[in-house]
Amino acid sequence: MTYEQDAKTLELPWPFTGREDELEVVRRSLAAGRHGIAVTGPAGCGKTRLVAQAVRGSGCAKVAGTPETRGIPFAAFAHLLPEEVTLHRAVQLLSGVRLLLVDDAHLLDDASAALVHQLAVQGRTRLLVVATDGTRVPGAVARLWTGELLPRLALEPLPATETAQLMTAGAGGPLEPLTAHRLHSLCRGDLRLLRDLLGAVRERGLLTRVPDSDEWAWRGPVPVTAAVRERVAPALDRTDPVERETLDKLAFAEPLSLHLDELDLGVLERLEADALIHLDEHAAVHLAHPLYGPALRATAGTLRARRLTGAPDRCGPALAAELSALERRIEQADVRPVPTPVGEWLVAQDAPLPPGYAAVRARFARLRGELRQAAAWAREGLRGAPGDDSCRSELALSAAQSGDVATAGALVAEHSLGGAATMWLAAARGDVDRAPDPADAGSAYDAVRLGDPAPAAGRLSGVFAQHADALARGDGPALDRAAERLEERGFLLFAAEAHAQAVRAHRDPSAARTSRTRAVALARRCQSARTPALSGLALGELTVRQRQIVALAATGLSNRQIAEQLTLSVRTVGNHLYSAYARLGASDRRALPWLVEAPHAQPA
C-alpha cells in the first residue's frame, strides 16, 4: 500500500468551533447590567479567539499585557491614556468606556493591573479579562475573581471531538486515527501549536490520502517550525552545557527510555526540578514534553547526531517487549491502557510495522471499544504485509462492529475469512443466529455479546463467565455488576453491551433507565460502535454546555447553584438538564454520575 502525494492544494480554514456554549456565557456576562467576566485557561486553549468572537462588532476598547512592558507603568493602556497620569486620573479618564477587553492580563504591569481592578470596583465599565493558567498573575488581577468582583469562566482544552473538527478543517478532510492521536499528543491542547503544526505538515506535502478512504495521514518527522521553537526554547535555553548533553542523549534515545544508572543523577535532579524530564514507575527517564525531542534533534549538528544516534535495529527488543505486554494483558482479561511508545513511533516515522504486532495492537484497541483505532492499526500491518490474515480479520471485525457492512463483507468474501469475522458480518447484516465455533471460547463470548449465552456454558471464566451467567438467568442487577467489572478492566464496549442487556432484563423501570443511561454513556466512548446489543439506544451527543451542567449537577449542586456559578438563568439550566436527560435516556439526577465527564467550571 502507498499513500498519494496530493495534499498540497488543500486550504486551511480554522472556523470557530466547540465553544458555542462558552460564547453564550461570555455574551450574557457583557449584557447591560452585568459587570463582565474573567476567562482563564491553559496557553493556547482558545481564550483569545473566544473573547474576540464575543465582542465582534461591539467596538470595545482593547488592551493587552506583554512580557517586554511589565516594568513600565500603564504600558498596556498607553494608547488610551496621556503620558503622565496617576491611577486616580486614569480611572476617571476610562470611566466612560463601556466595554474593555484586557487580553494576556497575567502580563500586565502592576499599574495597569491596579487600574483594571479599580475599574471593576467602580462598576461602570464592563470588563472582559483574559489570563493564562500556570503563570504568575498580578495580585490585582487575581482578586478580580477571588474577590468575587467578576465571575470566572475556566476553559479546559477542547475535547477530542471538537479538536478533531478543527483538524478536519485544517486538513481539508478527516484525519485517520493514528495521525489525529499524534497531533493531539504533540500539542497537548495548545490550539495555536496545533494550527501551526498541521499547517506545516500540509504545506510540506506530508499529508497523504489513505487508500480507499476519505481520510488523510501524516507520517515522518515533526516539522520544527518557528512556533515549535518558540514553545520549547524558553525552557531548553535555560540549561547549561552539561544539562543540554543529557537532554540530547534522551532526545536521540527516543522512542526508548534511558534509566537512572545510565545518566548523572545530579544533572537529572536539576532537570526534574525545572520540569524538563520526568521518571516513570520503572525509573526510566523521559523528556517532559513530546516536542522537546524533535526540537533538540533539529538543532544538533551532523557529527553530534551521529554520535548520539543508536544502532538501527535498537527498537526490535523494545517492540517485542511491548508486544508481550499487550498479549499478557489480553490473556489476563485486562485491557486498561499501557504505554506503546515504540509502536507509535514506528508508525509516525513511516517505518515498517511487523504485522504480528499490528494485529495484536488492533485487537487490544478493539477489545477496548476503540474501533477506529483498531482499524487503523490493522491497516498499518497490511501496508507492509498485504496478505496477513490476522490483520485482515481484525480489520473485518472492527468494520463489522462499526456497522460498516460493505468493508467487512468485502474482506470476508475476497479473503475467505471465517470464524468471528463471519459471525460479526452476519450480525451486522441482521442475522444474529449464526452458531459460534464450538472450539473457540472467544466465539462463545461473542455469542454472549449477541444475546445467546447457551454456547458459553462451562467455556468461559472470570468476568466473561459472570456476564454469560447473568444473561442466562435474565438477572438485570447481575448484568450491571458484570458490566461494572468489565469497565474496570477496560472493556468499555463489552460493558456498554452488558448494561444494554440489563435494560431488557430489569423488572424495575427505574433500574432499567439507570442501566440504559450507563450503556449510552459508555457506548458514546466507543468510536461509533454499532452492535446488536446497542441497537435502540439513543446515542445523542451532548453540547459542551450540557456536559458542563451535567457534571456540576452530578456533584450535587442545585439548579440555582449551577445558574449562579455559570451566570445563567435557573430556567436555562433546567432546560439544558432536560435536554441531556432526553438525549441520554436518563430520568433524574441519580443517573448523572454515569454520564460522560465534562470540564468543570470554576466558582467566581
Side-chain angles (χ1 to χ4, degrees):
M1 288 185 175
T2 58
Y3 289 126
E4 301 172 10
Q5 298 284 345
D6 63 352
K8 294 183 179 180
T9 61
L10 294 179
E11 296 183 358
L12 190 63
W14 285 87
F16 180 83
T17 184
R19 299 285 193 199
E20 287 77 10
D21 291 323
E22 287 90 339
L23 181 62
E24 177 191 352
V25 171
V26 175
R27 285 176 171 167
R28 284 177 176 270
S29 299
L30 302 180
R34 303 289 181 91
H35 295 297
I37 193 169
V39 179
T40 65
C45 73
K47 302 182 297 297
T48 298
R49 180 65 187 277
L50 171 66
V51 298
Q53 193 80 8
V55 301
R56 177 172 292 179
S58 65
C60 71
K62 300 177 183 179
V63 301
T66 64
E68 296 79 10
T69 59
R70 293 190 74 161
I72 304 175
F74 298 117
F77 290 86
H79 60 299
L80 298 176
L81 298 173
E83 290 187 12
E84 299 293 334
V85 67
T86 64
L87 176 60
H88 178 71
R89 180 59 178 157
V91 173
Q92 288 182 324
L93 291 171
L94 294 177
S95 61
V97 175
R98 292 305 172 201
L99 176 58
L100 176 64
L101 167 58
V102 185
D103 202 2
D104 288 332
H106 56 288
L107 298 176
L108 289 177
D109 59 273
D110 289 341
S112 294
L115 174 55
V116 172
H117 189 272
Q118 288 303 311
L119 289 171
V121 171
Q122 185 189 64
R124 296 178 184 173
T125 301
R126 291 191 295 277
L127 296 171
L128 181 47
V129 180
V130 181
T132 296
D133 291 338
T135 60
R136 186 184 69 83
V137 180
V141 172
R143 283 193 292 275
L144 292 173
W145 54 84
T146 59
E148 299 187 0
L149 289 170
L150 294 178
R152 178 187 179 193
L153 174 62
L155 292 187
E156 298 284 346
L158 272 181
T161 52
E162 281 79 9
T163 304
Q165 293 178 21
L166 287 179
M167 293 184 191
T168 297
L175 297 177
E176 57 94 27
L178 302 185
T179 296
H181 173 74
R182 184 185 185 190
L183 281 164
H184 196 269
S185 299
L186 285 170
C187 297
R188 292 188 170 180
D190 189 328
L191 299 182
R192 294 174 302 182
L193 194 54
L194 175 65
R195 176 172 184 167
D196 181 81
L197 269 181
L198 187 51
V201 166
R202 181 190 67 89
E203 290 165 5
R204 299 182 189 188
L206 303 179
L207 278 179
T208 53
R209 280 283 190 189
V210 178
D212 304 319
S213 168
D214 63 347
E215 296 180 332
W216 294 92
W218 165 40
R219 301 291 183 263
V222 175
V224 182
T225 64
V228 170
R229 288 192 291 270
E230 179 183 346
R231 172 65 178 82
V232 303
L236 298 179
D237 289 349
R238 291 196 299 267
T239 58
D240 61 36
V242 176
E243 294 169 342
R244 187 58 172 262
E245 173 74 11
T246 299
L247 291 174
D248 281 347
K249 288 180 179 178
L250 292 168
F252 280 94
E254 290 181 332
L256 308 182
S257 56
L258 298 180
H259 289 266
L260 287 175
D261 55 4
E262 301 176 71
L263 301 163
D264 184 288
L265 184 58
V267 175
L268 292 179
E269 289 176 351
R270 297 198 299 272
L271 293 173
E272 184 181 35
D274 290 337
L276 291 172
I277 64 169
H278 68 88
L279 274 67
D280 63 22
E281 63 274 17
H282 304 296
V285 186
H286 305 264
L287 294 169
H289 196 285
L291 286 175
Y292 286 165
L296 288 164
R297 291 192 293 272
T299 57
T302 302
L303 293 177
R304 186 178 185 81
R306 185 175 298 173
R307 173 172 64 84
L308 294 172
T309 301
D313 61 348
R314 60 193 176 94
C315 291
L319 189 68
E322 281 188 6
L323 176 60
S324 296
L326 291 168
E327 290 175 329
R328 184 166 55 252
R329 282 293 192 93
I330 293 173
E331 183 179 353
Q332 294 170 348
D334 182 356
V335 293
R336 287 171 293 181
V338 294
T340 55
V342 180
E344 291 171 7
W345 185 84
L346 289 174
V347 169
Q349 299 303 312
D350 206 20
L353 193 68
Y357 176 92
V360 172
R361 188 67 184 84
R363 184 184 180 196
F364 192 87
R366 177 172 57 81
L367 292 175
R368 286 181 46 76
E370 298 168 343
L371 300 183
R372 294 187 67 241
Q373 294 274 359
W377 282 105
R379 288 192 180 98
E380 284 300 316
L382 291 172
R383 287 182 63 195
D388 187 79
D389 279 341
S390 58
C391 288
R392 286 173 177 165
S393 293
E394 287 299 333
L395 185 56
L397 285 167
S398 299
Q401 293 178 27
S402 299
D404 184 356
V405 175
T407 298
L411 286 164
V412 169
E414 292 173 13
H415 305 292
S416 301
L417 301 180
T422 302
M423 181 191 303
W424 279 102
L425 174 60
R429 288 171 169 166
D431 177 11
V432 297
D433 298 324
R434 183 181 293 271
D437 182 351
D440 185 351
S443 291
Y445 187 64
D446 285 335
V448 174
R449 295 176 60 196
L450 293 171
D452 182 9
R459 299 170 58 194
L460 298 176
S461 61
V463 65
F464 304 124
Q466 180 183 350
H467 182 183
D469 178 66
L471 182 63
R473 293 185 289 108
D475 189 331
L479 281 166
D480 283 331
R481 290 192 294 271
E484 291 166 10
R485 286 193 61 195
L486 287 164
E487 182 183 1
E488 289 171 0
R489 291 176 168 271
F491 297 99
L492 299 188
L493 178 53
F494 299 172
E497 291 170 334
H499 278 309
Q501 291 169 342
V503 174
R504 306 175 184 94
H506 277 301
R507 297 180 180 178
D508 178 3
S510 176
R513 286 193 295 269
T514 299
S515 296
R516 186 175 184 276
T517 298
R518 297 175 181 180
V520 171
L522 288 169
R524 292 179 66 248
R525 297 161 60 186
C526 291
Q527 300 184 352
S528 303
R530 295 291 182 269
T531 64
L534 301 181
S535 63
L537 294 178
L539 302 181
E541 291 290 332
L542 298 184
T543 67
V544 174
R545 174 58 71 201
Q546 286 170 346
R547 289 200 300 269
Q548 190 178 39
I549 290 175
V550 160
L552 291 171
T555 68
L557 295 183
S558 67
N559 286 12
R560 182 168 297 280
Q561 290 171 317
I562 296 171
E564 292 173 353
Q565 184 161 324
L566 300 181
T567 63
L568 299 172
S569 69
V570 176
R571 176 176 293 180
T572 297
V573 171
N575 289 340
H576 278 305
L577 279 175
Y578 179 82
S579 297
Y581 293 154
R583 291 189 182 204
L584 295 177
S587 56
D588 54 39
R589 291 180 181 238
R590 289 175 296 176
L592 293 183
W594 287 95
L595 300 179
V596 178
E597 292 185 357
H600 291 257
Q602 300 295 320

